[in-house]
Amino acid sequence: MAAAALCTACGTGNQGYTINGTVQDVEDGKMVYLTKPEGRQLVKLDSAVVTDGKFTFKGVQDSTAVRYITNTSPEVSEFGIDFFLENGNIAVNLSKENSSATGTSNNDIYQGIRKQINDLNAQAMKIYEEAMKDSTLTEEQRKAKMEEVNSLMEKATGIQKDAVKQNITNAVGIHLLKQIYYYMDVEELDSLMPQIPAAFDSDEIIVKIKSNVEKMKATAVGQKFTDFEMKTPDGKPVKLSDYAGKGKVVLVDFWASWCGPCRREIPNLVETYKQYKGKKFEIVGVSLDQNEDAWKSAIKQLGITWPQMSDLKYWNCEGAQLYAVSSIPHTVLIDGEGTIIARDLHGTDLQEKLAEVLK
């Protein structure tokens, strides 16, 4: 009796999870897959047969983890959903437009956030499609439509940021932080780092984010520039300090030949360089290229005449790592004394700043 009672007590402590799902447009006998992310891939953990548009997964989960359910194999999935695999009853609906996962604490929180984001994305997509299809719109009207789209996207980003701050001590906040951290400034991130639970101390992405925050603090506006050395297109070693901190305002431009937005921005920099080159101003290009020939070819094609450097290490570029650059094009503006006075300025924002500091 004592042994039986002991076993019963053990069993009631962890009932495991049950995922009851529905899926649209999948024939009976087809499979859906429970997967986990590894790098940029989804690795299959379990599968379930679809019957009458329904499927079930059961198991026991030691700790809450982000998982995905896809309507076909991970390699060719048409649609799926990210959710939190945790013990309890989870209801999942898979569809092309409004997938959902509810029933447990983390999933309910995340679904509320997901709905807000999905609604904004749907609004933005509708406006965008109207702007592209309506041939009667003037250029000004089309521009106004795109501004509406951008406004909705900014609102969605704001919702994600707020959700991170409200949930940073749980799995939902950590998952969202991984998705949105590169849109957050150093002050926002720095205040969040001490609140991250110790359970995530060894998480690869969280470790990277914490490291990036320290680099961002070291290279934030108001700090002295951090030096690094690479090679010119001619193979000669060159340092950022060969230009920065020597009396000229220096714009460090992180770019790459394979980066479309970078190439679209270069003509603006060409005009900027013509305008300010003789006014104690210099541009230093830092390329995240891997292919030396592609880098050199782009320099020639785009009419770049300012100094260039690269270590041909792609996203492992030393300069990009030191300055916590997570997207390109990215700029760092350094005054004549070597102090960073602005970051990530482009277009009219850059022109206005340069007009201010190069009077």
Side-chain angles (χ1 to χ4, degrees), residues 1-19:
M1 291 294 292
L6 180 61
C7 289
T8 301
C10 291
T12 57
N14 191 347
Q15 295 295 329
Y17 62 83
T18 299
I19 302 172

Side-chain angles (χ1 to χ4, degrees), residues 17 33-47 57 61 63-70 72-75 81-85 175 178:
Y17 62 83
Y33 296 89
L34 175 64
T35 67
K36 70 174 181 178
E38 283 190 2
R40 297 187 177 186
Q41 304 295 320
L42 292 178
V43 177
K44 184 169 64 176
L45 297 175
D46 199 358
S47 60
F57 291 101
Q61 185 67 16
S63 59
T64 301
V66 176
R67 296 292 183 254
Y68 291 76
I69 292 179
T70 60
T72 58
S73 66
E75 297 81 7
I81 188 173
D82 57 330
F83 74 107
F84 295 91
L85 186 61
H175 183 47
K178 293 178 183 180

Side-chain angles (χ1 to χ4, degrees), residues 119-173:
D119 288 348
L120 289 170
N121 285 339
Q123 292 177 50
M125 182 57 69
K126 182 179 179 181
I127 294 169
Y128 176 80
E129 289 177 348
E130 289 174 352
M132 293 299 103
K133 292 179 180 178
D134 191 346
S135 59
T136 66
L137 293 178
T138 65
E139 196 59 39
E140 284 299 314
Q141 289 173 323
R142 187 168 282 105
K143 182 179 179 182
K145 291 281 187 183
M146 296 313 298
E147 287 176 354
E148 283 186 66
V149 171
N150 291 336
S151 177
L152 288 167
M153 292 297 93
E154 288 175 7
K155 187 175 180 180
T157 299
I159 289 171
Q160 288 177 292
K161 286 184 178 182
D162 289 342
V164 169
K165 295 169 186 176
Q166 293 166 13
N167 294 281
I168 192 61
T169 58
N170 62 44
V172 175

Side-chain angles (χ1 to χ4, degrees), residues 24 82 198-199 216 247 252 295 305 338:
Q24 295 180 0
D82 57 330
M216 290 167 71
V252 184
W295 174 38
T305 56

Side-chain angles (χ1 to χ4, degrees), residues 48-65:
V49 178
V50 174
T51 304
D52 295 329
K54 300 177 181 178
F55 60 89
T56 301
F57 291 101
K58 290 187 176 183
V60 176
Q61 185 67 16
D62 293 333
S63 59
T64 301

Side-chain angles (χ1 to χ4, degrees), residues 128-340:
Y128 176 80
E129 289 177 348
E130 289 174 352
M132 293 299 103
K133 292 179 180 178
D134 191 346
S135 59
T136 66
L137 293 178
T138 65
E139 196 59 39
E140 284 299 314
Q141 289 173 323
R142 187 168 282 105
K143 182 179 179 182
K145 291 281 187 183
M146 296 313 298
E147 287 176 354
E148 283 186 66
V149 171
N150 291 336
S151 177
L152 288 167
M153 292 297 93
E154 288 175 7
K155 187 175 180 180
T157 299
I159 289 171
Q160 288 177 292
K161 286 184 178 182
D162 289 342
V164 169
K165 295 169 186 176
Q166 293 166 13
N167 294 281
I168 192 61
T169 58
N170 62 44
V172 175
I174 298 301
H175 183 47
L176 287 168
L177 176 64
K178 293 178 183 180
Q179 297 175 4
I180 200 72
Y181 76 91
Y182 40 85
Y183 290 115
M184 303 178 77
D185 60 38
V186 63
E187 290 81 10
E188 290 175 309
L189 289 168
D190 194 35
S191 65
L192 293 173
M193 294 303 101
Q195 302 179 59
I196 295 176
F200 297 97
D201 282 349
S202 60
D203 184 286
E204 182 179 352
I205 299 178
I206 294 301
V207 169
K208 177 183 176 182
I209 292 172
K210 288 183 174 180
S211 175
N212 274 359
V213 170
E214 292 307 309
K215 292 172 182 176
M216 290 167 71
K217 288 162 65 176
T219 58
V221 171
Q223 300 294 321
K224 291 291 183 180
F225 77 93
T226 298
D227 201 13
F228 56 87
E229 180 179 313
M230 293 183 183
K231 291 184 178 181
T232 68
D234 294 330
K236 297 177 182 178
V238 62
K239 294 181 178 179
L240 180 57
S241 57
D242 291 338
Y243 306 98
K246 296 185 180 298
K248 288 186 176 183
V249 172
V250 174
L251 180 71
V252 184
D253 176 42
F254 292 93
W255 75 291
S257 67
W258 46 261
C259 167
C262 300
R263 297 181 75 108
R264 289 192 290 273
E265 181 67 17
I266 291 296
N268 295 328
L269 293 183
V270 169
E271 292 304 312
T272 299
Y273 199 51
K274 289 178 182 177
Q275 182 178 357
Y276 291 111
K277 184 179 179 182
K279 300 179 181 180
K280 291 190 174 182
F281 174 70
E282 186 61 272
I283 301 177
V284 176
V286 180
S287 170
L288 276 66
D289 273 284
Q290 296 181 93
N291 185 294
E292 185 175 358
D293 290 338
W295 174 38
K296 290 180 179 180
S297 177
I299 291 171
K300 184 176 180 180
Q301 290 173 1
L302 296 168
I304 295 173
T305 56
W306 51 88
Q308 288 285 319
M309 63 171 77
S310 181
D311 54 15
L312 300 175
K313 292 182 179 179
Y314 195 45
W315 284 108
N316 290 320
C317 165
E318 180 186 353
Q321 293 286 316
L322 286 171
Y323 282 79
V325 174
S326 57
S327 64
I328 53 175
H330 185 90
T331 59
V332 178
L333 190 63
I334 304 169
D335 71 11
E337 302 301 315
T339 299
I340 297 170

